[in-house]
């Protein structure tokens, strides 16, 4: 079967995504305060290539050109995040007018050319001043976050109608407060559990604040998710896979759906009771207008008695003889279908938007051109699975590519290139890749097709 954009319907939201720390640069300009990432990247050995997001894509200064590029590629929706420490350099206290001015200009630039802004309120760059007071581990974060979110909706809510509260809470609490390989580099279960619980509370709190301010706004929050298979039919592997699934795919969405934490499959989560206060369970729930699904790969899990809390481990994709990306992730388009079906199965999900999907491959820029055919195939195959889900009754109403352009990929630095646009970081020069042109043609014309099933060797 051959499909085009029209098969998704006229109201489907097509877009691209970015995040402040990964693209803005201008890390200490115009009154911005430091964030946990500004500090973390300067510690030895934290970022693989030793780089920082100090300058990133210089989007802070080049946003007009970038918005024009989005326009020229026919992409109608742009998802970006606000850097909390541009608005509040100290996390709370006085507002930084220049930071507010920047986001006003960015929002207005989008609207002026007919691009709808979709704002993520928190994409991992906590103000450092708040981390010094304990960050996500300190329950005070609920007050800091309330102040920050209400300020943002008051400042920008006259023009911004699409909001996402958090970006992937599992990743920023797991990598940042349990494993320590993301900012702020904290480790251990006693950091992770309170950080997790406070993030869960903030996720719904943020939703309520926006709804109170603007009942018409479309409010969501985003979740990382990956289909998980057991390494074998052995019941030990199956149970280990279920524990990982509860941790990676269920821990944040289920409390938001009013189902509480999945403690039956993830017994360690029961210890969150140490941090529970009256009404918390009720307050964890919120009826989001949409859930943001972010999917890249799948995981395979095997039993390992020695692994604390989980008694299991991920079998690396490179050991499984599968197609790999620069991140070492398996290319697995069916996974997005499976996760869409699972999210849909939650009773309280009203609508799902794929707020991130994309891939890093080794792109080469030759003679001013980037022929990233593998990314074109990747996007086509994942988008086709999104359509399959839609046709099978999943209320999936949007798809955003990660990412607009190559950017600072956290602990992996600048090597993985996820963009539809190639960035020459020395010159800060943007070069639209073949995938960007393909996406653009696909969005513009009802005649551009999603191709038929790709051959395995195409990746
Ligand atoms: C994050 C992005 C990140 C992307 C690719 C998501 O986990 O939201 O910030 O760049 O995946 O790793």
């Amino acid at each position: 079967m051959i499909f085009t954009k029209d098969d998704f319907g006229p109201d489907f939201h097509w877009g691209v995504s970015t995040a402040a720390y990964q693209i803005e640069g201008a890390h200490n300009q115009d009154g911005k305060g430091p964030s946990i990432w500004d500090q973390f990247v300067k510690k030895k050995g934290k970022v693989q290539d030793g780089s920082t997001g100090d300058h990133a894509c210089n989007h802070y200064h080049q946003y007009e050109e970038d918005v024009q590029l989005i326009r020229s590629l026919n992409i109608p929706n742009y998802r970006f995040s606000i850097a909390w420490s541009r608005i509040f350099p100290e996390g709370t206290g006085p507002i930084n007018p220049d930071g507010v001015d920047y986001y006003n200009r960015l929002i207005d630039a989008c609207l002026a050319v007919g691009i709808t802004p979709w704002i993520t309120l928190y994409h991992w760059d906590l103000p450092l001043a708040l981390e010094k007071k304990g960050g996500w581990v300190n329950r005070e974060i609920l007050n800091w976050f309330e102040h920050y979110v209400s300020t943002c909706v008051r400042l920008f809510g006259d023009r911004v109608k699409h909001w996402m509260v958090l970006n992937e809470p599992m990743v920023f609490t797991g990598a940042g407060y349990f494993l320590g390989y993301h900012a702020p580099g904290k480790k251990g279960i006693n950091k992770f559990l309170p950080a997790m619980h406070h993030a869960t509370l903030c996720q719904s709190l943020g939703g309520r604040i926006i709804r109170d301010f603007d009942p018409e706004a479309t409010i969501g929050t985003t979740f990382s998710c990956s289909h998980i298979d057991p390494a074998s039919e052995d019941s030990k592997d199956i149970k280990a896979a279920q524990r990982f699934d509860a941790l990676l795919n269920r821990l944040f969405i289920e409390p938001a759906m009013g189902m509480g934490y999945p403690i039956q499959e993830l017994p360690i989560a029961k210890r969150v009771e140490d941090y529970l206060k009256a009404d918390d369970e009720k307050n964890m729930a919120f009826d989001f207008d949409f859930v943001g699904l972010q999917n890249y790969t799948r995981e395979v899990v095997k039993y390992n008695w020695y692994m604390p809390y989980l008694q299991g481990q991920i079998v690396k994709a490179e050991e499984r003889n599968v197609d790999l990306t620069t991140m070492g992730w398996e290319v697995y388009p069916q996974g997005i279908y499976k996760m869409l079906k699972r999210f849909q199965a939650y009773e309280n999900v009203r609508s799902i938007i794929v707020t991130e999907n994309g891939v890093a491959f080794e792109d080469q820029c030759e003679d001013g051109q980037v022929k990233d055919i593998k990314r074109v195939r990747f996007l086509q195959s994942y988008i086709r699975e999104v359509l399959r889900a839609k046709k099978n009754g999943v209320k999936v109403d949007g798809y955003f590519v990660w990412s607009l352009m190559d950017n600072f990929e956290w602990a992996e630095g600048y090597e993985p290139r996820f963009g539809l646009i190639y960035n020459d970081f020395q010159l800060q020069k943007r070069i639209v890749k073949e995938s960007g042109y393909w996406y653009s043609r696909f969005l513009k014309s009802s005649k551009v097709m999603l191709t038929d099933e790709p051959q395995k060797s195409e990746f």
Side-chain angles (χ1 to χ4, degrees):
M1 285 287 283
I2 283 171
F3 301 111
T4 72
K5 181 191 120 195
D6 290 356
D7 290 286
F8 293 81
D11 300 326
F12 198 81
H13 304 287
W14 295 98
V16 273
S17 297
T18 64
Y21 187 71
Q22 296 180 271
I23 63 161
E24 283 181 1
H27 68 112
N28 58 3
Q29 289 177 23
D30 298 341
K32 177 180 169 290
S35 79
I36 52 175
W37 273 94
D38 288 314
Q39 181 201 46
F40 186 75
V41 294
K42 304 221 160 103
K43 293 186 183 160
K44 224 175 162 198
K46 298 294 181 193
V47 178
Q48 268 178 33
D49 57 7
S51 62
T52 73
D54 284 3
H55 306 295
C57 305
N58 198 35
H59 186 64
Y60 184 80
H61 295 295
Q62 291 178 223
Y63 72 90
E64 282 175 306
E65 171 193 345
D66 293 336
V67 168
Q68 285 301 337
L69 265 173
I70 302 173
R71 176 67 270 154
S72 71
L73 293 177
N74 311 304
I75 301 170
N77 296 287
Y78 178 34
R79 170 181 176 233
F80 56 88
S81 76
I82 293 180
W84 186 338
S85 67
R86 265 195 212 289
I87 306 294
F88 290 112
E90 295 292 313
T92 56
I95 293 185
N96 171 32
D98 287 349
V100 175
D101 183 52
Y102 165 66
Y103 291 109
N104 273 330
R105 285 182 281 122
L106 175 57
I107 292 164
D108 291 345
C110 289
L111 294 173
V113 294
I115 294 169
T116 305
W118 293 58
I119 290 191
T120 313
L121 285 156
Y122 185 75
H123 201 127
W124 307 356
D125 44 358
L126 187 75
L128 185 59
L130 299 182
E131 183 55 39
K132 289 187 176 153
K133 297 179 194 161
W136 286 96
V137 176
N138 185 345
R139 198 177 163 105
E140 269 296 296
I141 187 96
L142 270 72
N143 294 325
W144 305 327
F145 194 68
E146 177 168 11
H147 186 50
Y148 164 63
V149 172
S150 46
T151 305
C152 288
V153 287
R154 185 170 49 74
L155 289 169
F156 309 121
D158 56 334
R159 287 151 294 153
V160 175
K161 299 294 165 193
H162 300 81
W163 298 92
M164 283 141 289
V165 181
L166 299 181
N167 183 72
E168 299 188 351
M170 183 58 229
V171 178
F172 78 77
T173 58
Y177 289 87
F178 184 70
L179 299 170
Y181 67 77
H182 274 188
K186 298 270 164 64
K187 286 187 188 155
I189 198 78
N190 295 331
K191 295 274 190 287
F192 172 68
L193 288 174
M196 165 199 108
H197 184 51
H198 301 146
T200 303
L201 288 167
C202 282
Q203 155 178 283
S204 48
L205 173 68
R208 280 192 291 276
I209 294 168
I210 305 167
R211 173 107 7 109
D212 283 351
F213 180 85
D214 182 1
E216 302 300 313
T218 305
I219 308 164
T221 193
T222 78
F223 303 99
S224 47
C225 63
S226 302
H227 174 72
I228 296 181
D229 278 320
S232 78
E233 292 304 303
D234 188 318
S235 69
K236 285 186 170 161
D237 285 341
I238 293 174
K239 289 215 174 88
Q242 284 167 353
R243 287 190 289 277
F244 271 75
D245 183 59
L247 177 74
L248 300 180
N249 294 327
R250 300 173 52 195
L251 196 59
F252 288 89
I253 191 169
E254 294 194 0
M257 297 291 123
M259 300 162 69
Y261 292 114
I263 50 179
Q264 211 177 332
E265 287 78 14
L266 190 67
I268 184 67
K270 198 166 164 37
R271 278 172 49 183
V272 77
E273 283 168 3
D274 296 351
Y275 309 96
L276 276 184
K277 296 230 157 72
D279 292 337
D280 275 9
E281 297 221 59
K282 179 167 69 75
N283 288 335
M284 293 190 309
F286 180 71
D287 59 330
F288 286 100
D289 297 300
F290 71 92
V291 294
L293 181 153
Q294 312 202 152
N295 177 266
Y296 291 87
T297 186
R298 79 156 161 173
E299 303 293 358
V300 171
V301 168
K302 70 175 179 198
Y303 175 74
N304 178 349
W305 186 83
Y306 295 100
M307 290 303 275
Y309 313 118
L310 291 170
Q311 275 74 51
Q313 70 175 85
I314 287 177
V315 184
K316 286 196 183 138
E318 65 195 41
E319 294 164 20
R320 295 193 271 112
N321 190 26
V322 290
D323 295 317
L324 292 180
T325 75
T326 310
M327 299 292 281
W329 298 344
E330 177 184 1
V331 177
Y332 188 70
Q334 307 93 299
I336 201 165
Y337 174 84
K338 292 178 185 188
M339 293 316 300
L340 280 162
K341 286 290 252 187
R342 280 191 60 187
F343 276 25
Q344 176 71 51
Y346 290 119
E347 206 183 317
N348 296 330
V349 165
R350 295 198 205 166
S351 162
I352 305 171
I353 293 190
V354 177
T355 37
E356 281 183 28
N357 171 242
V359 64
F361 284 129
E362 280 90 47
D363 298 324
Q364 303 297 334
C365 183
E366 280 160 18
D367 301 329
Q369 292 184 330
V370 182
K371 301 217 153 109
D372 58 336
I373 301 306
K374 279 162 71 176
R375 182 172 292 99
V376 176
R377 296 270 183 274
F378 180 100
L379 295 175
Q380 289 174 337
S381 61
Y382 275 71
I383 293 173
R384 199 167 39 230
E385 290 293 312
V386 174
L387 182 60
R388 182 157 74 98
K390 194 169 170 63
K391 287 187 180 289
N392 281 312
V394 175
K395 286 175 286 176
V396 52
D397 295 317
Y399 175 91
F400 287 61
V401 177
W402 183 271
S403 181
L404 171 64
M405 62 187 140
D406 300 339
N407 58 46
F408 180 74
E409 178 53 30
W410 309 110
E412 276 76 24
Y414 290 101
E415 202 205 323
R417 290 180 175 269
F418 275 91
L420 293 174
I421 298 173
Y422 184 93
N423 196 30
D424 176 332
F425 292 100
Q426 294 301 319
L427 303 173
Q428 293 297 355
K429 186 165 177 261
R430 323 297 196 214
I431 298 160
V432 178
K433 300 180 194 175
E434 193 56 41
S435 58
Y437 289 123
W438 173 78
Y439 194 48
S440 167
R441 287 196 303 275
F442 174 70
L443 296 185
K444 188 170 183 187
S445 160
S446 307
K447 296 205 177 91
V448 175
M449 296 169 294
L450 275 175
T451 58
D452 261 329
E453 293 299 311
Q455 298 303 306
K456 205 171 183 299
S457 60
E458 281 179 323
F459 290 106

